[in-house]
Amino acid sequence: MLNRLALAFALFLPMPAMAAPMLLRPAQVFDGVDPAPHSGWQVLVDGEKIVAVGPALAVPDGTKTIDLPGATLMPGMIEGHGHLFLHPYNEVPWDDQVLHEALALRTARAVMQARATLLAGFTTERDLGTEGAGYADVGLRDAIAQGIVPGPRMIVATRAIVARGAYGPKGFEPGVSVPLGAEEVSGIDEIVRAARSQIAAGADVVKLYADYHYQRGEPSRPTLTQAEMAAAVAVAHDAGRIVAVHAVTAEGMRRAIAAGVDTIEHGDEGTAELFRAMHDKGIAYCPTLSAGDAIARYRGWDGKAPAPAGVAQSIAAFRMAMAAGTPICVGGDVGVFAHGTNAREMEQMAAAGMAPPAVLIAATSGNARYFHLGDRLGRVKAGMLADLVAVTGDPTRDIGAVRHVVLVMKGGAVVLP
């Protein structure tokens, strides 16, 4: 009886109004693939998708027109390496964030940082570990997807996986257990168990640390073995997940490449040979130039030449990767520096010698392809999700234009202005 009454009552309720189609009319469109922008193009959006792109489109009655004079319309940018549960290290050191900030506090901050990311024009983020906040990124991802809070589409790595004894925080009595920034494993059985557990808990991507420093003041050294990483890769790929690997050392990179991972993060000690091997295997490289730059500035560097050794090494590795034709993603390790300033990585890449159109392609269709999202994101094309951003000026000439966001659309809904 109750079901019949509910149905009868529902028949008399007004149906929710369908959003009218929207015609976006910018000065030009960067489509995410062609290095040259298309002058005079328009984009028609109906529901959550792009339905037509080109000059002088025919539009249905009732279409709402949004004029964007002087603006470039482009795909929503994709942040390739972020940590929404971290905030800049010059505010609170990493150890203190992990050890002393309550989970509720970290989650509340992450909600605000997700909003800042979206309003900056980054409509998708690959979040590579909560750094001690457990599986809170799964909840944040789902809250965004359900429209409870605003933010980018999220691809999450949950806890990340490290070799036992290699990660932090450190500096405590050896017999005392302290909260850690990642899940520890030792051996193939344990890494397989951890990868499966994280996937079961909601991980979209498995994050591994191929190397790290065991004690403070020590250099990074390989930690996970090639066999351990290969076992985790097999589990992740069987489950349809990609594998991202923190690898700073040449040996850590070599093992990760041999294990068949999907992306390598940082790669400071990469060699021409290693980057050619990544090219040959289609492994994408996220250089995270901005993280090293930010940390150097926190330590007193004024940004002028000569750059500190670590910054110079990162730039040299990035240039070797470009020369080798290695697929390059845009990922700044945001959280080391402020969320919402994600464009900093794109500016760093351009300053290091990458042409602005190539940077834009990497941040849109490139990242979408590397993260297995290319069938629905990263391009201004009919049939794709309407994740779109308009910026003042021409970012194919001046990459800094991506900071001047005047419109953000996610899934056909305008979220800015």
Side-chain angles (χ1 to χ4, degrees):
M1 175 63 77
L2 288 176
N3 286 340
R4 290 180 181 176
L5 288 173
L7 177 60
F9 182 67
L11 292 174
F12 290 94
L13 290 175
M15 295 295 291
M18 298 296 290
M22 286 181 277
L23 180 69
L24 306 180
R25 299 198 303 187
Q28 60 183 13
V29 172
F30 169 75
D31 66 9
V33 176
D34 191 334
H38 304 277
S39 296
W41 271 23
Q42 303 172 351
V43 177
L44 181 63
V45 173
D46 194 357
E48 66 175 4
K49 291 189 175 182
I50 300 167
V51 295
V53 178
L57 297 177
V59 299
D61 292 341
T63 296
K64 176 183 178 181
T65 298
I66 300 177
D67 286 312
L68 298 163
T72 299
L73 187 70
M74 55 186 282
M77 293 172 283
I78 299 173
E79 173 55 59
H81 187 136
H83 297 278
L84 283 170
F85 287 82
L86 291 177
H87 58 107
Y89 296 176
N90 63 332
E91 297 175 356
V92 177
W94 182 87
D95 278 21
D96 289 340
Q97 293 185 44
V98 175
L99 289 171
H100 301 302
E101 292 189 344
L103 180 58
L105 171 64
R106 296 186 69 185
T107 302
R109 182 181 283 114
V111 169
M112 299 306 296
Q113 293 177 159
R115 179 179 182 273
T117 301
L118 178 62
L119 296 182
F122 288 79
T123 54
T124 300
E125 173 162 333
R126 186 177 64 150
D127 200 84
L128 289 182
T130 61
E131 305 292 339
Y135 294 100
D137 55 350
V138 174
L140 178 58
R141 177 199 66 195
D142 294 349
I144 291 170
Q146 293 173 34
I148 298 169
V149 296
R153 304 177 192 275
M154 288 182 64
I155 312 161
V156 302
T158 69
R159 299 175 65 189
I161 299 172
V162 296
R164 180 161 287 114
Y167 210 53
K170 295 182 181 295
F172 299 89
E173 161 60 37
V176 175
S177 293
V178 298
L180 294 175
E183 182 172 1
E184 291 187 314
V185 299
S186 183
I188 289 174
D189 288 348
E190 288 190 8
I191 199 168
V192 165
R193 185 179 300 111
R196 286 181 174 147
S197 295
Q198 292 188 12
I199 291 167
D204 304 303
V205 54
V206 172
K207 167 80 175 290
L208 309 175
Y209 281 72
D211 47 35
Y212 212 70
H213 44 269
Y214 278 97
Q215 297 296 335
R216 288 178 175 175
E218 291 186 357
S220 286
R221 293 186 170 91
T223 50
L224 293 175
T225 66
Q226 181 179 321
E228 287 171 328
M229 284 193 280
V233 168
V235 167
H237 287 178
D238 282 350
R241 269 67 173 177
I242 62 173
V243 178
V245 174
H246 168 114
V248 172
T249 66
E251 177 59 19
M253 292 177 69
R254 186 197 67 76
R255 294 180 188 182
I257 293 166
V261 307
D262 298 286
T263 70
I264 289 180
E265 320 298 308
H266 315 303
D268 295 348
E269 296 180 15
T271 64
E273 179 184 11
L274 288 168
F275 287 122
R276 283 194 298 270
M278 291 176 66
H279 166 270
D280 293 346
K281 288 196 169 188
I283 298 171
Y285 172 52
C286 281
T288 65
L289 299 176
S290 296
D293 179 86
I295 290 170
R297 291 174 188 269
Y298 299 158
R299 293 172 177 169
W301 180 46
D302 62 2
K304 298 178 181 178
V311 172
Q313 184 180 44
S314 297
I315 292 171
F318 175 65
R319 289 172 174 165
M320 277 190 280
M322 285 196 294
T326 307
I328 295 177
C329 79
V330 173
D333 211 350
V334 195
V336 175
F337 58 98
H339 299 275
T341 64
N342 307 60
R344 180 173 181 168
E345 180 72 6
M346 299 171 71
E347 293 170 335
Q348 292 280 326
M349 293 166 74
M354 195 174 203
V359 176
L360 291 170
I361 291 169
T364 55
S365 64
N367 274 2
R369 182 168 66 255
Y370 310 142
F371 306 156
H372 297 185
L373 303 171
D375 60 335
R376 53 196 182 277
L377 295 173
R379 299 182 65 180
V380 181
K381 178 184 176 184
M384 306 294 276
L385 288 172
D387 284 14
L388 299 166
V389 173
V391 301
T392 302
D394 185 354
T396 67
R397 295 179 179 271
D398 174 13
I399 199 66
V402 299
R403 287 187 181 264
H404 306 300
V405 177
V406 294
L407 177 137
V408 178
M409 176 180 285
K410 179 186 168 193
V414 175
V415 295
L416 178 77

PDB file of all heavy atoms in Angstrom, residues 19-47:
ATOM      1  N   ALA A  19      18.176  21.210 -17.226  1.00  0.00           N
ATOM      2  CA  ALA A  19      19.029  22.346 -17.541  1.00  0.00           C
ATOM      3  C   ALA A  19      19.028  22.574 -19.047  1.00  0.00           C
ATOM      4  O   ALA A  19      19.068  21.626 -19.836  1.00  0.00           O
ATOM      5  CB  ALA A  19      20.443  22.079 -17.034  1.00  0.00           C
ATOM      6  N   ALA A  20      18.962  23.822 -19.429  1.00  0.00           N
ATOM      7  CA  ALA A  20      18.968  24.156 -20.848  1.00  0.00           C
ATOM      8  C   ALA A  20      20.344  23.887 -21.441  1.00  0.00           C
ATOM      9  O   ALA A  20      21.359  23.998 -20.749  1.00  0.00           O
ATOM     10  CB  ALA A  20      18.602  25.628 -21.033  1.00  0.00           C
ATOM     11  N   PRO A  21      20.405  23.527 -22.719  1.00  0.00           N
ATOM     12  CA  PRO A  21      21.716  23.419 -23.378  1.00  0.00           C
ATOM     13  C   PRO A  21      22.449  24.757 -23.283  1.00  0.00           C
ATOM     14  O   PRO A  21      21.820  25.822 -23.183  1.00  0.00           O
ATOM     15  CB  PRO A  21      21.361  23.076 -24.826  1.00  0.00           C
ATOM     16  CG  PRO A  21      19.973  22.522 -24.772  1.00  0.00           C
ATOM     17  CD  PRO A  21      19.301  23.218 -23.638  1.00  0.00           C
ATOM     18  N   MET A  22      23.781  24.708 -23.329  1.00  0.00           N
ATOM     19  CA  MET A  22      24.595  25.914 -23.245  1.00  0.00           C
ATOM     20  C   MET A  22      25.525  25.992 -24.440  1.00  0.00           C
ATOM     21  O   MET A  22      26.172  24.991 -24.796  1.00  0.00           O
ATOM     22  CB  MET A  22      25.413  25.925 -21.948  1.00  0.00           C
ATOM     23  CG  MET A  22      24.598  26.227 -20.708  1.00  0.00           C
ATOM     24  SD  MET A  22      25.597  26.246 -19.198  1.00  0.00           S
ATOM     25  CE  MET A  22      25.639  24.487 -18.843  1.00  0.00           C
ATOM     26  N   LEU A  23      25.616  27.166 -25.022  1.00  0.00           N
ATOM     27  CA  LEU A  23      26.554  27.432 -26.109  1.00  0.00           C
ATOM     28  C   LEU A  23      27.645  28.347 -25.569  1.00  0.00           C
ATOM     29  O   LEU A  23      27.363  29.471 -25.123  1.00  0.00           O
ATOM     30  CB  LEU A  23      25.845  28.097 -27.285  1.00  0.00           C
ATOM     31  CG  LEU A  23      26.751  28.412 -28.482  1.00  0.00           C
ATOM     32  CD1 LEU A  23      27.205  27.128 -29.170  1.00  0.00           C
ATOM     33  CD2 LEU A  23      26.039  29.333 -29.464  1.00  0.00           C
ATOM     34  N   LEU A  24      28.868  27.867 -25.582  1.00  0.00           N
ATOM     35  CA  LEU A  24      30.013  28.649 -25.113  1.00  0.00           C
ATOM     36  C   LEU A  24      30.685  29.283 -26.323  1.00  0.00           C
ATOM     37  O   LEU A  24      31.043  28.591 -27.288  1.00  0.00           O
ATOM     38  CB  LEU A  24      30.987  27.755 -24.364  1.00  0.00           C
ATOM     39  CG  LEU A  24      30.403  26.932 -23.208  1.00  0.00           C
ATOM     40  CD1 LEU A  24      31.478  26.085 -22.549  1.00  0.00           C
ATOM     41  CD2 LEU A  24      29.730  27.825 -22.187  1.00  0.00           C
ATOM     42  N   ARG A  25      30.880  30.612 -26.260  1.00  0.00           N
ATOM     43  CA  ARG A  25      31.458  31.337 -27.389  1.00  0.00           C
ATOM     44  C   ARG A  25      32.712  32.092 -26.941  1.00  0.00           C
ATOM     45  O   ARG A  25      32.655  33.273 -26.609  1.00  0.00           O
ATOM     46  CB  ARG A  25      30.428  32.302 -27.983  1.00  0.00           C
ATOM     47  CG  ARG A  25      29.181  31.582 -28.507  1.00  0.00           C
ATOM     48  CD  ARG A  25      28.380  32.433 -29.475  1.00  0.00           C
ATOM     49  NE  ARG A  25      27.967  33.702 -28.883  1.00  0.00           N
ATOM     50  CZ  ARG A  25      27.142  34.558 -29.499  1.00  0.00           C
ATOM     51  NH1 ARG A  25      26.674  34.275 -30.706  1.00  0.00           N
ATOM     52  NH2 ARG A  25      26.793  35.678 -28.903  1.00  0.00           N
ATOM     53  N   PRO A  26      33.860  31.405 -26.918  1.00  0.00           N
ATOM     54  CA  PRO A  26      35.120  32.054 -26.559  1.00  0.00           C
ATOM     55  C   PRO A  26      35.780  32.675 -27.791  1.00  0.00           C
ATOM     56  O   PRO A  26      35.300  32.513 -28.926  1.00  0.00           O
ATOM     57  CB  PRO A  26      35.953  30.883 -26.037  1.00  0.00           C
ATOM     58  CG  PRO A  26      35.516  29.738 -26.912  1.00  0.00           C
ATOM     59  CD  PRO A  26      34.037  29.961 -27.163  1.00  0.00           C
ATOM     60  N   ALA A  27      36.912  33.327 -27.581  1.00  0.00           N
ATOM     61  CA  ALA A  27      37.690  33.830 -28.707  1.00  0.00           C
ATOM     62  C   ALA A  27      38.313  32.681 -29.487  1.00  0.00           C
ATOM     63  O   ALA A  27      38.437  32.728 -30.707  1.00  0.00           O
ATOM     64  CB  ALA A  27      38.776  34.792 -28.216  1.00  0.00           C
ATOM     65  N   GLN A  28      38.712  31.626 -28.758  1.00  0.00           N
ATOM     66  CA  GLN A  28      39.331  30.474 -29.402  1.00  0.00           C
ATOM     67  C   GLN A  28      39.196  29.257 -28.490  1.00  0.00           C
ATOM     68  O   GLN A  28      38.930  29.384 -27.294  1.00  0.00           O
ATOM     69  CB  GLN A  28      40.810  30.742 -29.712  1.00  0.00           C
ATOM     70  CG  GLN A  28      41.659  31.049 -28.486  1.00  0.00           C
ATOM     71  CD  GLN A  28      43.104  31.380 -28.846  1.00  0.00           C
ATOM     72  OE1 GLN A  28      43.439  31.615 -30.000  1.00  0.00           O
ATOM     73  NE2 GLN A  28      43.981  31.373 -27.846  1.00  0.00           N
ATOM     74  N   VAL A  29      39.404  28.086 -29.085  1.00  0.00           N
ATOM     75  CA  VAL A  29      39.322  26.827 -28.344  1.00  0.00           C
ATOM     76  C   VAL A  29      40.633  26.078 -28.503  1.00  0.00           C
ATOM     77  O   VAL A  29      41.107  25.850 -29.626  1.00  0.00           O
ATOM     78  CB  VAL A  29      38.155  25.951 -28.862  1.00  0.00           C
ATOM     79  CG1 VAL A  29      38.201  24.552 -28.226  1.00  0.00           C
ATOM     80  CG2 VAL A  29      36.815  26.620 -28.573  1.00  0.00           C
ATOM     81  N   PHE A  30      41.225  25.694 -27.373  1.00  0.00           N
ATOM     82  CA  PHE A  30      42.333  24.732 -27.372  1.00  0.00           C
ATOM     83  C   PHE A  30      41.704  23.383 -27.092  1.00  0.00           C
ATOM     84  O   PHE A  30      41.103  23.180 -26.029  1.00  0.00           O
ATOM     85  CB  PHE A  30      43.374  25.092 -26.308  1.00  0.00           C
ATOM     86  CG  PHE A  30      44.388  24.009 -26.086  1.00  0.00           C
ATOM     87  CD1 PHE A  30      45.403  23.795 -27.006  1.00  0.00           C
ATOM     88  CD2 PHE A  30      44.305  23.181 -24.976  1.00  0.00           C
ATOM     89  CE1 PHE A  30      46.327  22.774 -26.821  1.00  0.00           C
ATOM     90  CE2 PHE A  30      45.228  22.161 -24.778  1.00  0.00           C
ATOM     91  CZ  PHE A  30      46.237  21.957 -25.708  1.00  0.00           C
ATOM     92  N   ASP A  31      41.827  22.448 -28.043  1.00  0.00           N
ATOM     93  CA  ASP A  31      41.036  21.218 -27.928  1.00  0.00           C
ATOM     94  C   ASP A  31      41.704  20.101 -27.136  1.00  0.00           C
ATOM     95  O   ASP A  31      41.118  19.023 -26.963  1.00  0.00           O
ATOM     96  CB  ASP A  31      40.622  20.716 -29.312  1.00  0.00           C
ATOM     97  CG  ASP A  31      41.797  20.252 -30.179  1.00  0.00           C
ATOM     98  OD1 ASP A  31      42.934  20.140 -29.671  1.00  0.00           O
ATOM     99  OD2 ASP A  31      41.572  19.990 -31.378  1.00  0.00           O
ATOM    100  N   GLY A  32      42.929  20.331 -26.644  1.00  0.00           N
ATOM    101  CA  GLY A  32      43.610  19.317 -25.853  1.00  0.00           C
ATOM    102  C   GLY A  32      44.537  18.433 -26.649  1.00  0.00           C
ATOM    103  O   GLY A  32      45.311  17.673 -26.066  1.00  0.00           O
ATOM    104  N   VAL A  33      44.494  18.526 -27.969  1.00  0.00           N
ATOM    105  CA  VAL A  33      45.313  17.668 -28.839  1.00  0.00           C
ATOM    106  C   VAL A  33      46.103  18.483 -29.862  1.00  0.00           C
ATOM    107  O   VAL A  33      47.312  18.297 -30.022  1.00  0.00           O
ATOM    108  CB  VAL A  33      44.423  16.631 -29.569  1.00  0.00           C
ATOM    109  CG1 VAL A  33      45.261  15.808 -30.541  1.00  0.00           C
ATOM    110  CG2 VAL A  33      43.733  15.717 -28.566  1.00  0.00           C
ATOM    111  N   ASP A  34      45.430  19.384 -30.536  1.00  0.00           N
ATOM    112  CA  ASP A  34      46.083  20.212 -31.559  1.00  0.00           C
ATOM    113  C   ASP A  34      46.863  21.332 -30.862  1.00  0.00           C
ATOM    114  O   ASP A  34      46.283  22.080 -30.074  1.00  0.00           O
ATOM    115  CB  ASP A  34      45.019  20.802 -32.485  1.00  0.00           C
ATOM    116  CG  ASP A  34      45.598  21.452 -33.730  1.00  0.00           C
ATOM    117  OD1 ASP A  34      46.766  21.894 -33.690  1.00  0.00           O
ATOM    118  OD2 ASP A  34      44.886  21.530 -34.741  1.00  0.00           O
ATOM    119  N   PRO A  35      48.155  21.484 -31.158  1.00  0.00           N
ATOM    120  CA  PRO A  35      48.917  22.559 -30.512  1.00  0.00           C
ATOM    121  C   PRO A  35      48.397  23.957 -30.831  1.00  0.00           C
ATOM    122  O   PRO A  35      48.566  24.875 -30.030  1.00  0.00           O
ATOM    123  CB  PRO A  35      50.335  22.373 -31.074  1.00  0.00           C
ATOM    124  CG  PRO A  35      50.391  20.968 -31.545  1.00  0.00           C
ATOM    125  CD  PRO A  35      49.005  20.636 -32.009  1.00  0.00           C
ATOM    126  N   ALA A  36      47.764  24.120 -31.984  1.00  0.00           N
ATOM    127  CA  ALA A  36      47.257  25.435 -32.380  1.00  0.00           C
ATOM    128  C   ALA A  36      45.807  25.579 -31.957  1.00  0.00           C
ATOM    129  O   ALA A  36      44.970  24.702 -32.222  1.00  0.00           O
ATOM    130  CB  ALA A  36      47.381  25.609 -33.890  1.00  0.00           C
ATOM    131  N   PRO A  37      45.447  26.688 -31.313  1.00  0.00           N
ATOM    132  CA  PRO A  37      44.043  26.896 -30.942  1.00  0.00           C
ATOM    133  C   PRO A  37      43.181  27.198 -32.166  1.00  0.00           C
ATOM    134  O   PRO A  37      43.679  27.640 -33.200  1.00  0.00           O
ATOM    135  CB  PRO A  37      44.106  28.098 -29.996  1.00  0.00           C
ATOM    136  CG  PRO A  37      45.359  28.819 -30.372  1.00  0.00           C
ATOM    137  CD  PRO A  37      46.319  27.782 -30.866  1.00  0.00           C
ATOM    138  N   HIS A  38      41.893  26.964 -32.028  1.00  0.00           N
ATOM    139  CA  HIS A  38      40.937  27.135 -33.117  1.00  0.00           C
ATOM    140  C   HIS A  38      40.161  28.431 -32.899  1.00  0.00           C
ATOM    141  O   HIS A  38      39.314  28.510 -32.005  1.00  0.00           O
ATOM    142  CB  HIS A  38      39.980  25.950 -33.171  1.00  0.00           C
ATOM    143  CG  HIS A  38      40.676  24.627 -33.290  1.00  0.00           C
ATOM    144  ND1 HIS A  38      41.111  24.104 -34.490  1.00  0.00           N
ATOM    145  CD2 HIS A  38      41.036  23.723 -32.329  1.00  0.00           C
ATOM    146  CE1 HIS A  38      41.692  22.936 -34.276  1.00  0.00           C
ATOM    147  NE2 HIS A  38      41.661  22.678 -32.981  1.00  0.00           N
ATOM    148  N   SER A  39      40.443  29.429 -33.706  1.00  0.00           N
ATOM    149  CA  SER A  39      39.755  30.715 -33.573  1.00  0.00           C
ATOM    150  C   SER A  39      38.300  30.586 -34.030  1.00  0.00           C
ATOM    151  O   SER A  39      38.013  29.914 -35.027  1.00  0.00           O
ATOM    152  CB  SER A  39      40.462  31.778 -34.400  1.00  0.00           C
ATOM    153  OG  SER A  39      41.767  32.002 -33.904  1.00  0.00           O
ATOM    154  N   GLY A  40      37.422  31.239 -33.288  1.00  0.00           N
ATOM    155  CA  GLY A  40      36.020  31.290 -33.695  1.00  0.00           C
ATOM    156  C   GLY A  40      35.212  30.045 -33.426  1.00  0.00           C
ATOM    157  O   GLY A  40      34.034  29.986 -33.773  1.00  0.00           O
ATOM    158  N   TRP A  41      35.800  29.049 -32.813  1.00  0.00           N
ATOM    159  CA  TRP A  41      35.037  27.831 -32.504  1.00  0.00           C
ATOM    160  C   TRP A  41      34.062  28.093 -31.363  1.00  0.00           C
ATOM    161  O   TRP A  41      34.323  28.906 -30.472  1.00  0.00           O
ATOM    162  CB  TRP A  41      35.980  26.700 -32.117  1.00  0.00           C
ATOM    163  CG  TRP A  41      36.458  25.884 -33.282  1.00  0.00           C
ATOM    164  CD1 TRP A  41      36.528  26.259 -34.579  1.00  0.00           C
ATOM    165  CD2 TRP A  41      36.964  24.542 -33.216  1.00  0.00           C
ATOM    166  NE1 TRP A  41      37.048  25.236 -35.352  1.00  0.00           N
ATOM    167  CE2 TRP A  41      37.321  24.173 -34.534  1.00  0.00           C
ATOM    168  CE3 TRP A  41      37.147  23.624 -32.186  1.00  0.00           C
ATOM    169  CZ2 TRP A  41      37.846  22.915 -34.837  1.00  0.00           C
ATOM    170  CZ3 TRP A  41      37.669  22.381 -32.480  1.00  0.00           C
ATOM    171  CH2 TRP A  41      38.013  22.029 -33.798  1.00  0.00           C
ATOM    172  N   GLN A  42      32.987  27.349 -31.391  1.00  0.00           N
ATOM    173  CA  GLN A  42      32.006  27.350 -30.317  1.00  0.00           C
ATOM    174  C   GLN A  42      31.870  25.933 -29.771  1.00  0.00           C
ATOM    175  O   GLN A  42      32.251  24.960 -30.434  1.00  0.00           O
ATOM    176  CB  GLN A  42      30.651  27.835 -30.845  1.00  0.00           C
ATOM    177  CG  GLN A  42      30.688  29.206 -31.477  1.00  0.00           C
ATOM    178  CD  GLN A  42      29.378  29.572 -32.155  1.00  0.00           C
ATOM    179  OE1 GLN A  42      28.482  28.741 -32.312  1.00  0.00           O
ATOM    180  NE2 GLN A  42      29.254  30.839 -32.536  1.00  0.00           N
ATOM    181  N   VAL A  43      31.329  25.826 -28.575  1.00  0.00           N
ATOM    182  CA  VAL A  43      31.139  24.512 -27.947  1.00  0.00           C
ATOM    183  C   VAL A  43      29.722  24.441 -27.396  1.00  0.00           C
ATOM    184  O   VAL A  43      29.296  25.308 -26.626  1.00  0.00           O
ATOM    185  CB  VAL A  43      32.164  24.275 -26.812  1.00  0.00           C
ATOM    186  CG1 VAL A  43      31.892  22.937 -26.119  1.00  0.00           C
ATOM    187  CG2 VAL A  43      33.585  24.317 -27.362  1.00  0.00           C
ATOM    188  N   LEU A  44      28.981  23.419 -27.813  1.00  0.00           N
ATOM    189  CA  LEU A  44      27.613  23.210 -27.357  1.00  0.00           C
ATOM    190  C   LEU A  44      27.597  22.088 -26.326  1.00  0.00           C
ATOM    191  O   LEU A  44      28.092  20.987 -26.577  1.00  0.00           O
ATOM    192  CB  LEU A  44      26.702  22.858 -28.533  1.00  0.00           C
ATOM    193  CG  LEU A  44      25.218  22.625 -28.213  1.00  0.00           C
ATOM    194  CD1 LEU A  44      24.572  23.900 -27.659  1.00  0.00           C
ATOM    195  CD2 LEU A  44      24.474  22.136 -29.451  1.00  0.00           C
ATOM    196  N   VAL A  45      27.044  22.387 -25.171  1.00  0.00           N
ATOM    197  CA  VAL A  45      26.953  21.439 -24.065  1.00  0.00           C
ATOM    198  C   VAL A  45      25.489  21.149 -23.785  1.00  0.00           C
ATOM    199  O   VAL A  45      24.665  22.074 -23.695  1.00  0.00           O
ATOM    200  CB  VAL A  45      27.636  22.007 -22.801  1.00  0.00           C
ATOM    201  CG1 VAL A  45      27.394  21.098 -21.593  1.00  0.00           C
ATOM    202  CG2 VAL A  45      29.130  22.208 -23.045  1.00  0.00           C
ATOM    203  N   ASP A  46      25.155  19.870 -23.648  1.00  0.00           N
ATOM    204  CA  ASP A  46      23.792  19.480 -23.277  1.00  0.00           C
ATOM    205  C   ASP A  46      23.912  18.401 -22.208  1.00  0.00           C
ATOM    206  O   ASP A  46      24.520  17.349 -22.433  1.00  0.00           O
ATOM    207  CB  ASP A  46      23.035  18.961 -24.496  1.00  0.00           C
ATOM    208  CG  ASP A  46      21.528  18.879 -24.240  1.00  0.00           C
ATOM    209  OD1 ASP A  46      21.104  19.168 -23.104  1.00  0.00           O
ATOM    210  OD2 ASP A  46      20.777  18.520 -25.174  1.00  0.00           O
ATOM    211  N   GLY A  47      23.349  18.670 -21.050  1.00  0.00           N
ATOM    212  CA  GLY A  47      23.521  17.741 -19.943  1.00  0.00           C
ATOM    213  C   GLY A  47      24.967  17.755 -19.486  1.00  0.00           C
ATOM    214  O   GLY A  47      25.584  18.816 -19.340  1.00  0.00           O
TER     215      GLY A  47
END
